[in-house]
Amino acid sequence: MSEQAAQNAGETVTADFWFDPLCPWAWMTSRWMLEVEKVRPIKVRWHVMSLSVLNEGRDDLPEVYKELLEKGWGPVRVVTAAQQLHGDDVVGPLYTAIGTRFHNRGEGATLESVSAALEEVGLPADLIDYADKDTYDTELRASHKEGIDKVGQDVGTPVIAVPGADGEQIAFFGPVVTPAPQGEAAARLWDGTLLVASTPGFYEIKRTRTAEPDFSNLA
C-alpha cells in the first residue's frame, strides 16, 4: 500500500528525515514535518547526515563555508553519540533543542548552545566531549550514506523519504520552504509531497531562492 493510500485509510505512516543541525533550511523543513504530525497520521523518524561529510575533499568552496563545515562536525557528532548511547528517541528532541538555539534564537553553531540543549532534554553533560572525538564517526557516516544513497549525490540537507506508489521508499531533497507552513498549509504541502512521490519517474521541481530562512513564526 502506498503512503497516500495508507493515510487515506487513517493508518499512521512513516517519514524518514535526514538533517544536519547546522543547516537553517533543514531546520525549517523539520519544523514543517512536526506540524504535519499534528494534522496528518504520520510519524517522523529522525536521522543525522552531515554537510561536513558531504563536502569532504572539495577545494572549490569559499573559505568562509569551509570554516563553517569545520565547525559542523561538533554538533552532529554530539547528536550521533546521544543516539548511540541513549537510543533513537532522543534524536528528535535533541535536534529541536539545538536547532531552536542555533536558528530561532540566533546563537549560531556553538558548543555552548549544544551543551545547553543537552541539559534541556535531560541528557548527560559529558556528551559534549564527543564534539571533538571521532568515536562514532563510523555510525555518523553510515547514517549519512543511508540518506544520500536513497536520494543521490547531487543534493544536500534535508532529505526526506516516504513510500511511493508501490510501497518502496522514494527520497527527495527538501522541500525547501520559508517560513515553515503551519496548519492546513502544512497538510497541503505534505499531501503534495505524497502525490509526487507516487508519480513514477518524477524527480524534481525547483526555482531560485529569493528569500532567506524566516523563523518568525517558530517558537
Side-chain angles (χ1 to χ4, degrees), residues 2-218:
S2 70
E3 185 158 356
Q4 182 71 70
Q7 181 171 282
N8 292 340
E11 298 177 13
T12 298
V13 292
T14 299
D16 287 287
F17 190 104
W18 281 264
F19 66 91
D20 184 325
L22 202 65
C23 180
W25 294 103
W27 173 248
M28 195 73 66
T29 306
S30 73
R31 299 310 92 182
W32 163 67
M33 289 301 304
L34 289 183
E35 189 71 12
V36 175
E37 282 191 321
K38 300 176 185 177
V39 293
R40 289 291 187 268
I42 76 159
K43 174 65 176 176
V44 182
R45 292 189 300 207
W46 303 98
H47 312 270
V48 295
M49 64 182 298
S50 171
L51 293 172
S52 302
V53 172
L54 185 67
N55 290 284
E56 275 184 320
R58 289 188 58 183
D59 296 324
D60 59 336
L61 299 173
E63 284 302 318
V64 64
Y65 193 61
K66 289 181 181 179
E67 293 173 6
L68 184 65
L69 293 176
E70 189 61 33
K71 291 181 180 179
W73 282 104
V76 75
R77 279 173 166 168
V78 172
V79 176
T80 303
Q83 185 267 332
Q84 291 297 311
L85 295 172
H86 300 278
D88 295 339
D89 289 344
V90 307
V91 176
L94 181 55
Y95 178 35
T96 290
I98 291 174
T100 297
R101 288 168 171 78
F102 282 11
H103 306 298
N104 296 10
R105 300 181 188 174
E107 296 177 12
T110 68
L111 294 185
E112 290 79 9
S113 294
V114 177
S115 291
L118 290 170
E119 181 179 4
E120 178 183 330
V121 299
L123 287 168
D126 61 5
L127 282 171
I128 197 66
D129 295 340
Y130 288 96
D132 297 319
K133 297 178 180 179
D134 62 2
T135 309
Y136 295 111
D137 278 11
T138 298
E139 290 79 5
L140 165 58
R141 290 175 182 277
S143 180
H144 174 91
K145 184 177 185 298
E146 181 185 13
I148 286 294
D149 281 354
K150 290 179 181 295
V151 73
Q153 297 295 321
D154 56 344
V155 302
T157 179
V159 170
I160 64 170
V162 300
D166 60 0
E168 182 180 354
Q169 274 200 326
I170 301 295
F172 296 109
F173 164 63
V176 176
V177 60
T178 186
Q182 297 181 338
E184 186 56 29
R188 288 196 301 270
L189 180 56
W190 173 250
D191 294 343
T193 300
L194 294 187
L195 178 61
V196 297
S198 67
T199 302
F202 175 84
Y203 288 100
E204 184 176 9
I205 293 176
K206 189 172 184 178
R207 63 176 181 159
T208 300
R209 300 177 202 171
T210 58
E212 294 299 314
D214 179 357
F215 309 119
S216 60
N217 67 344
L218 301 178

